[in-house]
Amino acid sequence: MKKISHSTWLLWLGLGLLSCLIWLQLTYSRFSFIRLSINKNEALQIARDYLTGVRGVDPSRYKEAVIFAQDVAADRYMQKTIGFEGEKEFILQHDFDLFFWKTRFFRENEIEEYRVTISAQSGRVIAFAHIIPDAEPRPARDEASAQKKAMDFLRQNFGFNPEEY
């Protein structure tokens, strides 16, 4: 087996660095408009505060998991339909959250858990789910009270005004 010479190693290293520089020059500007101001620990604290303050849940009774995620489907869809520049304009104009933190509060071997999704840009709670066993009894709600509860949630969390629709 023949050893690779130092000059060959240097050539490959130089080509690798050149490739990285070209990639940065051509594609970095595509990501420069994204603002990720919330880190993992901040997202976890926001989720804890949300559970405690808004939902009345003690998060210390649960294990925690946090992941950073991107809405890949929305990203692909927008790039295919309106192009990258259109996507960039849409995200900036509508304050759209393409990146977010997903937090889970769970107990091992139990179905019940809480999921809180936090915007990586603004720190807002953008999604919430309380997963419970399918067979767990739930109080019956009539359509009017269910609609009122949904509208109250949308108003409180997203500033939704149903009069605009």
Side-chain angles (χ1 to χ4, degrees), residues 2-13:
K2 184 179 176 186
K3 286 191 167 194
I4 300 174
S5 68
H6 289 305
S7 59
T8 304
W9 275 111
L10 288 174
L11 175 66
W12 285 111
L13 181 63

Side-chain angles (χ1 to χ4, degrees), residues 5 16 20 40 43 49 69 76 84 91 106 109 123 138-141:
S5 68
C20 286
K40 179 181 177 179
D49 293 345
R76 285 183 186 151
F84 178 74
I91 288 170
F106 63 97
N109 301 320
R138 296 172 186 89
R141 287 197 184 269

Side-chain angles (χ1 to χ4, degrees), residues 74-112:
D75 185 31
R76 285 183 186 151
Y77 176 78
M78 286 192 286
Q79 284 191 28
K80 285 185 177 187
T81 56
I82 58 178
F84 178 74
E85 289 302 320
E87 177 186 28
K88 180 179 172 181
E89 182 180 320
F90 178 87
I91 288 170
L92 294 174
Q93 181 179 2
H94 297 285
D95 197 25
F96 183 75
D97 292 308
L98 198 56
F99 298 94
F100 41 86
W101 293 99
K102 288 185 171 190
T103 61
R104 288 180 59 217
F105 297 85
F106 63 97
R107 293 186 190 122
E108 287 188 35
N109 301 320
E110 289 188 22
I111 294 174
E112 182 180 26

